[in-house]
Amino acid sequence: MMNSIRNQFPILKTRVRSLPRRGGAKSLVYFDNAATTQKPEIVLRAMDKFYRSKNAPVHRGVYTLAEAATAAYENVRDQVRDFIHAAHREEIIFTAGATASINAVVAGYVETSLHRGDHILLTDMEHHAMIVPWQAAAERKGLEVDFVPLTSDGRVDIGVFKKALAKYRPKFVGITHVSNVLGTVNPVREMIAAAHKIGAIVLIDAAQSAAHLPIDVQKLSCDFLVFSGHKLYGPTGVGVLYGRKELLERLPPFIFGGHMIEEVTREKTTYAPLPAKFEGGTQPVAEVVGLGAAISFVQGVGFNAIQKHECELSAHMLKGLKVISGLTLLGPATTQGRIPVFSFTISGIHSHDVATLLDREGIAVRAGHHCAQILHSNLSPDASVRMSLGVYNTVGEIDRTIAALHKIQEKFYA
Ligand SMILES: Cc1ncc(COP(=O)(O)O)c(C=O)c1O
């Protein structure tokens, strides 16, 4: 199965680092999937085909081509609804990505429902995309942003979370489904239930989970959920904001302009019903079509197969990392309750050096704080190296990486 999946991703055939002194070109090992994933042929072809045969403005034309473009766009809304098991298609809003979706929810809530002194509860594990919009809003509106501390191995303890709920009585809770640094899956269902008990609204950041775990917004009972297309084997520039219908109906629009209106007069504007209310301006139609193809790709492989494969990758990676001396893995070293994202430091070697030396072997990893400075300040003094794997990665690529890490470690300690 693995070869048939890999063959669908043309970029994985790339050879990099063609320096003759260093042994010539190396086949690419792409381990930066938490930042962005590569795109399968089905996505590339869908977008190409859209531009070649269906491109026209959506929702606005009565001619055949415009109707075809609108149908292509709106079909993806149904696909996303099915993908995350939303109750209604109008609960699916297309945005520019997870960051744009979070910003939209924050802006709407701050404007309509939050008042000076209200508390917002986040965890120490959040990506900056969740922290920064709330902090900026808090400054403007006089809100308090509180953080749930993590356990020493980087988990959210449900007991600690419940205590924070009782202490701060937040109006709004923002939780990442999966950590983009540690790969750990949070107990979001329990967390949502606990937050609802005190009347808080909950936003789930599914940017890191959407490509790895099935999502059912009704079973989770979340109020809002966001993700990006480009971390799900789809294109950049498109993402999803899911919101419960009654909440979206109360939320004000965040982009004002064409398409999102019902009527405009000199005196005032009334807004279109959902979902148009949130989709002002010309939408990224080809990207939405690409997102639909990406969802078809993921559903074609199936989450059972994805999880089985990724669990094998995690077990192999953890075994390999364990024997590299001086290496500290951030977060828990378990195969269960995680996606294949691994961040680590090697004592005495700066993480940026590790990443640069891995690149010389053709291995693409990330070094830095991974847009999670609060998490990093808890777990590691400065940067870490992150290796994030996806459905097309192999045990052979892990072996190559572990061998390269041994070489780096020996070189620095020689
Ligand atoms: C957990 C998490 N949330 C949000 C984001 C933001 O996603 P985007 O940059 O696609 O808007 C990321 C991206 O790395 C992420 O990892």
Side-chain angles (χ1 to χ4, degrees):
M1 180 185 98
M2 186 39 58
N3 271 347
S4 72
I5 289 177
R6 282 186 74 81
N7 286 340
Q8 296 177 48
F9 289 81
I11 204 169
L12 298 180
K13 297 194 173 70
T14 304
R15 294 183 76 78
V16 288
R17 306 295 303 181
S18 58
L19 300 176
R21 274 192 303 119
R22 300 222 168 87
K26 308 268 194 318
S27 56
L28 169 71
V29 173
Y30 186 75
F31 278 177
D32 199 13
N33 294 285
T36 199
T37 53
Q38 301 302 347
K39 319 305 170 199
E41 286 281 5
I42 185 178
V43 170
L44 304 175
R45 276 204 298 267
M47 294 177 74
D48 183 70
K49 191 171 161 204
F50 175 81
Y51 276 128
R52 286 178 193 278
S53 61
K54 290 195 184 154
N55 183 46
V58 296
H59 301 127
R60 282 168 223 175
V62 291
Y63 50 90
T64 310
L65 203 58
E67 278 173 0
T70 304
Y73 180 84
E74 288 300 330
N75 285 345
V76 180
R77 202 183 308 278
D78 292 319
Q79 248 189 303
V80 175
R81 188 198 68 76
D82 174 62
F83 186 59
I84 63 169
H85 301 95
H88 309 281
R89 68 188 309 281
E90 315 87 273
E91 295 179 324
I92 307 301
I93 310 296
F94 293 120
T95 66
T99 303
S101 300
I102 295 171
N103 273 272
V105 175
V106 173
Y109 261 82
V110 168
E111 189 182 325
T112 56
S113 311
L114 298 173
H115 303 99
R116 176 167 293 279
D118 281 347
H119 285 251
I120 309 300
L121 186 63
L122 310 178
T123 77
D124 267 358
M125 203 189 268
E126 299 312 311
H127 187 276
H128 294 167
M130 180 68 88
I131 300 167
V132 184
W134 281 117
Q135 283 184 336
E139 230 174 278
R140 283 197 311 275
K141 189 107 183 202
L143 310 173
E144 302 287 337
V145 183
D146 309 296
F147 291 86
V148 180
L150 307 180
T151 60
S152 57
D153 67 347
R155 285 184 186 279
V156 175
D157 180 296
I158 188 78
V160 175
F161 177 72
K162 284 181 181 168
K163 273 193 194 134
L165 287 174
K167 180 173 172 191
Y168 300 116
R169 311 289 301 175
K171 289 271 165 54
F172 204 103
V173 175
I175 311 164
T176 193
H177 193 178
V178 171
S179 164
N180 70 314
V181 178
L182 313 173
T184 44
V185 181
N186 280 323
V188 283
R189 201 167 163 181
E190 267 179 286
M191 293 168 85
I192 293 166
H196 281 170
K197 271 198 183 139
I198 62 143
I201 296 287
V202 186
L203 164 62
I204 298 296
D205 175 356
Q208 290 299 337
S209 54
H212 303 274
L213 313 171
I215 292 173
D216 186 324
V217 290
Q218 292 186 80
K219 276 198 186 138
L220 285 177
S221 188
C222 58
D223 301 303
F224 295 101
L225 181 137
V226 305
F227 64 92
S228 293
H230 72 103
K231 294 181 198 284
L232 180 64
Y233 309 106
T236 52
V238 64
V240 167
L241 164 59
Y242 158 82
R244 279 199 293 118
K245 200 170 160 199
E246 61 272 29
L247 296 180
L248 286 178
E249 270 162 359
R250 289 207 296 271
L251 204 69
F254 53 96
I255 295 178
F256 298 84
H259 182 61
M260 49 77 69
I261 57 96
E262 189 176 59
E263 194 186 16
V264 180
T265 64
R266 285 202 183 80
E267 288 70 40
K268 70 177 287 219
T269 295
T270 52
Y271 303 128
L274 295 175
K277 178 173 106 173
F278 293 108
E279 294 181 2
T282 300
Q283 291 299 297
V285 186
E287 285 76 7
V288 167
V289 168
L291 172 64
I295 289 173
S296 297
F297 165 75
V298 168
Q299 288 176 327
V301 181
F303 277 114
N304 281 343
I306 290 175
Q307 285 184 308
K308 183 170 178 289
H309 176 61
E310 292 187 349
C311 192
E312 280 163 19
L313 293 179
S314 290
H316 201 72
M317 182 66 94
L318 288 169
K319 204 164 130 207
L321 292 177
K322 216 158 126 186
V323 290
I324 294 168
S325 56
L327 186 144
T328 306
L329 182 74
L330 307 189
T334 51
T335 51
Q336 296 305 313
R338 76 172 312 133
I339 64 163
V341 171
F342 308 90
S343 295
F344 61 89
T345 55
I346 300 182
S347 70
I349 316 177
H350 197 283
S351 293
H352 284 100
D353 291 335
V354 177
T356 304
L357 292 169
L358 285 175
D359 177 56
R360 288 194 186 161
E361 302 293 327
I363 302 163
V365 301
R366 176 91 165 252
H369 51 62
H370 319 301
C371 298
Q373 278 188 336
I374 294 176
L375 175 71
H376 254 88
S377 63
N378 282 341
L379 295 177
S380 134
D382 77 74
S384 67
V385 180
R386 181 179 73 184
M387 305 193 291
S388 51
L389 283 60
V391 65
Y392 38 62
N393 291 121
T394 65
V395 160
E397 290 179 313
I398 294 174
D399 288 340
R400 227 176 102 187
T401 307
I402 298 296
L405 286 171
H406 275 297
K407 213 162 110 184
I408 292 167
Q409 201 269 343
E410 279 160 19
K411 188 173 164 173
F412 267 79
Y413 284 100

